[in-house]
Amino acid sequence: MHMHLLSGLSEESARELSRYRFHTAYAVCKKTKKGDEVLYLSLFKDSALRFKSAIPAAILNANGRSVANPNYFVKELRLCL
């Protein structure tokens, strides 16, 4: 199985994820000049969102309010065999 969205994901990891019939995975990504960098991969959306919220740079202070940094986001990935 070839993962187009996560180029660094090994074939062994893709087989392991597919073996348990998880059809969706969630990746916490950071925008870079060369594309997106995956910081965390999870099978559960809530753990991916918790990881993202724990990153200090993912929250910006604008006019005295905390707002989400658009450079950090959670991407939903479909696992296909």
Side-chain angles (χ1 to χ4, degrees), residues 12-32:
E12 180 182 319
S13 296
R15 271 195 226 108
E16 185 69 21
L17 291 171
S18 299
R19 189 174 95 187
Y20 294 105
R21 303 202 187 263
F22 290 106
H23 300 290
T24 307
Y26 300 92
V28 178
C29 302
K30 177 185 176 186
K31 289 183 184 176
T32 62

Side-chain angles (χ1 to χ4, degrees), residues 19-72:
R19 189 174 95 187
Y20 294 105
R21 303 202 187 263
F22 290 106
H23 300 290
T24 307
Y26 300 92
V28 178
C29 302
K30 177 185 176 186
K31 289 183 184 176
T32 62
K33 292 180 182 178
K34 294 182 180 180
D36 298 337
E37 176 185 351
V38 176
L39 304 174
Y40 182 74
L41 179 66
S42 176
L43 296 174
F44 305 105
K45 189 173 187 176
D46 63 335
S47 62
L49 290 171
R50 272 189 265 128
F51 182 85
K52 181 187 148 209
S53 66
I55 301 171
I59 304 291
L60 298 174
N61 291 323
N63 299 329
R65 294 177 36 194
S66 296
V67 294
N69 186 345
N71 290 332
Y72 292 87

